[in-house]
Amino acid sequence: MAEARLFAKYTVYRERGYQTLPANRNPDRIAATLLALAQLSDEEFEKFFGTYYRQHAHHYQPEIEPPIEPPADIDAGEFLRYELDIYLGLEQEVDEAIRELVAAGMNDAVSKTLEAITEPVDVAFAPGRELGLEIDAVSDLRVAYQTGPGDEQVLEVDPPLEREPDTTLQLVALPSGSLEVFRRLLVHHLGCQIRDCYLEMGVEPPEAFRLLGHGFYDSAQRYRLLERYEPYFDFEADIPGYRTVDIGQPR
């Protein structure tokens, strides 16, 4: 029933334009964020995501100083996650701009970006810049971890803007490699979030988003615990029609 309700909300959003979905669980909003992130220059990417990168990289590259000391005695690969809210900057009202991007072929551009994830991002799609699609702000790093069943601690931060974020990164600790590889990891992570949006509606994602890996944290927990789901969070899972992407992470 929950899946049916969510699919109904998505249908109303797509066919009538009403904002029935939370902004950071809207696959179109996440797709726009993916493109905006992929289009950043190296300097822009470091400015917005350098702190997030260093926090992640520390777990597998201890020579990198973490901005926040990780909680002690927590399994970083399963019970600890780092969140970062992303706010898009658009030259017009956000919902109207997203609809224009969808009409202009945004999802095709996202598909090409994911297909070329191991190469420098270069997709034949320009309306991002024409519509002012860019990242306006990100929040401070937010730490969340579980200390027991149903007991979650979240170290909250003040939002940089007085509106809902367009997307929230929710990565557990994973091998990050270089800053360049970490950008690919975030693009892949957003693709997996889009996958989760569709799976939570009870429908198969479009082919471009049939990825294996980490998307939403709560979705990964459902995939672990409920028999009706495949282990989509597992990079090494064998699920017909789903693929693992080698983004150059160290093993």
Side-chain angles (χ1 to χ4, degrees):
M1 290 298 293
E3 289 177 349
R5 285 194 295 268
L6 190 56
F7 182 70
K9 290 180 179 181
Y10 174 74
T11 301
V12 170
Y13 154 71
R14 267 299 184 93
E15 295 185 0
R16 298 297 182 89
Y18 296 117
Q19 296 312 303
T20 49
L21 297 171
N24 62 1
R25 306 293 280 217
N26 181 324
D28 293 338
R29 197 79 68 106
I30 299 169
T33 305
L34 186 157
L35 284 180
L37 187 153
Q39 293 173 355
L40 291 172
S41 68
D42 292 343
E43 292 75 17
E44 291 172 324
F45 182 77
E46 200 285 330
K47 180 182 76 171
F48 286 120
F49 300 102
T51 297
Y52 198 59
Y53 163 71
R54 289 189 293 276
Q55 189 69 37
H56 277 275
H58 167 76
H59 287 277
Y60 289 86
Q61 298 163 262
E63 70 277 9
I64 296 179
E65 190 72 23
I68 299 173
E69 190 64 30
D73 303 321
I74 300 294
D75 183 346
E78 185 171 350
F79 298 117
L80 170 68
R81 72 181 183 276
Y82 298 118
E83 296 190 344
L84 194 75
D85 295 328
I86 303 177
Y87 298 79
L88 293 174
L90 293 152
E91 294 176 354
Q92 60 200 85
E93 197 271 334
V94 174
D95 296 328
E96 180 184 349
I98 296 296
R99 286 195 296 273
E100 288 192 18
L101 283 165
V102 171
M106 177 177 70
N107 289 327
D108 181 55
V110 171
S111 298
K112 292 177 180 177
T113 301
L114 289 170
E115 288 171 4
I117 200 169
T118 58
E119 304 293 338
V121 174
D122 182 16
V123 295
F125 182 74
R129 292 301 185 187
E130 292 171 9
L131 290 173
L133 175 58
E134 59 185 27
I135 292 175
D136 188 21
V138 299
S139 69
D140 289 334
L141 176 66
R142 185 165 58 246
V143 180
Y145 58 95
Q146 290 182 322
T147 55
D151 185 10
E152 181 172 84
Q153 304 294 319
V154 181
L155 306 181
E156 293 289 357
V157 297
D158 293 330
L161 300 177
E162 294 183 0
R163 66 176 180 85
E164 282 189 286
D166 295 291
T167 308
T168 300
L169 301 175
Q170 296 184 336
L171 272 180
V172 298
L174 294 168
S176 302
S178 66
L179 192 64
E180 177 187 355
V181 171
F182 189 65
R183 186 206 291 250
R184 298 174 193 165
L185 177 61
L186 293 188
V187 169
H188 181 269
H189 172 57
L190 293 174
C192 290
Q193 284 195 3
I194 296 171
R195 172 205 67 200
D196 291 341
C197 287
Y198 286 99
L199 290 172
E200 289 174 2
M201 299 177 210
V203 299
E204 199 72 39
E207 185 174 356
F209 306 116
R210 295 176 193 173
L211 305 168
L212 297 173
H214 284 268
F216 293 123
Y217 182 81
D218 57 357
S219 297
Q221 301 315 305
R222 282 193 288 275
Y223 303 153
R224 290 179 193 273
L225 298 173
L226 301 180
E227 291 185 3
R228 64 189 300 268
Y229 288 114
E230 299 283 358
Y232 301 101
F233 66 90
D234 185 351
F235 285 92
E236 306 301 327
D238 182 12
I239 304 175
Y242 284 75
R243 68 191 189 280
T244 296
V245 178
D246 183 1
I247 57 178
Q249 290 172 277
R251 298 296 181 182

